[in-house]
Amino acid sequence: MLKGNKVGLRARHEDDIPILQSELHDDVANAARAQGRPWRPLTPGSKHSQFVVDDTEQGHVPFSVVELAGGTLVGTATLWGIDDHHRSAHIGLGLLPASRGKGYGTDVVAVLCHYGFIVRGLQRLQIETLSDNEAMLRSAERNGFVREGLMRSSAWVMGEFLDEVLLGLLVQDWKPDSKG
């Protein structure tokens, strides 16, 4: 397990999937904002759930996020779009509704940076998020990410186009102790 100050990132367990499915995916408004594709209902136990892990996929590393104090599942985190040639990747996370607003997001971003830069030897990490996602913007910036651009009307979310913010962090600019 990779450990931060408040959370740990561990392999996805089979019994995490129904919780993540019901708390993250089945919340249509939240899922529509978090995914880059249209929401659709999934049958319970479906092998097509985004939370089912394909261990053969090398460019996508999903984690379950747990509280260090007690081991309670609080969300999901992902290093995705891993490009070993350019040594870059994207990061993303989703916290269960009851776990939001507790500083877990900042800690998850910090642990994903450690994993990307130290464990994987990457040069660049990137985040794309909706421009009104203040929690993700704060978590990213507290970890040293810099706003690099605004992608106007780039995300179709629940009947309207929204702007996305592009943030980046280079390994030489990363400060492991910058975790807000």
Side-chain angles (χ1 to χ4, degrees):
M1 178 183 327
L2 299 170
K3 294 181 181 180
N5 294 323
K6 298 179 178 187
V7 299
L9 275 55
R10 63 157 169 77
R12 178 83 30 85
H13 295 175
E14 194 68 31
D15 56 347
D16 295 343
I17 296 170
I19 298 166
L20 296 171
Q21 187 70 33
S22 70
E23 300 246 359
L24 295 178
H25 177 79
D26 292 347
D27 176 353
V28 178
N30 180 66
R33 291 177 55 80
Q35 298 301 311
R37 58 190 171 279
W39 181 89
R40 66 184 186 98
L42 290 176
T43 306
S46 171
K47 296 300 176 200
H48 299 288
S49 168
Q50 70 192 44
F51 304 111
V52 173
V53 175
D54 176 0
D55 285 327
T56 65
E57 172 59 48
Q58 296 299 307
H60 179 93
V61 181
F63 297 96
S64 286
V65 180
V66 296
E67 286 179 317
L68 286 179
T72 304
L73 180 69
V74 297
T76 182
T78 309
L79 194 70
W80 62 276
I82 300 169
D83 183 328
D84 289 326
H85 178 70
H86 296 290
R87 294 180 45 209
S88 64
H90 304 256
I91 68 172
L93 64 100
L95 296 175
L96 302 180
S99 301
R100 296 175 190 155
K102 298 180 178 181
Y104 295 149
T106 298
D107 205 29
V108 170
V109 172
V111 178
L112 285 171
C113 288
H114 172 83
Y115 178 72
F117 292 139
I118 302 301
V119 177
R120 298 294 297 239
L122 298 176
Q123 163 66 17
R124 174 185 170 80
L125 294 174
Q126 183 169 309
I127 296 171
E128 300 86 8
T129 191
L130 296 175
S131 62
D132 64 354
N133 187 348
E134 292 299 326
M136 186 64 189
L137 292 168
R138 262 191 323 273
S139 294
E141 290 172 338
R142 285 178 178 160
N143 279 285
F145 280 81
V146 175
R147 292 183 193 213
E148 296 179 334
L150 178 72
M151 298 175 287
R152 297 177 303 135
S153 294
S154 62
W156 178 253
V157 179
M158 301 294 284
E160 65 179 323
F161 283 104
L162 299 177
D163 296 343
E164 288 182 287
V165 176
L166 171 67
L167 301 108
L169 179 61
L170 302 178
V171 68
Q172 64 264 26
D173 299 329
W174 177 56
K175 295 174 179 58
D177 59 345
S178 64
K179 303 184 272 256

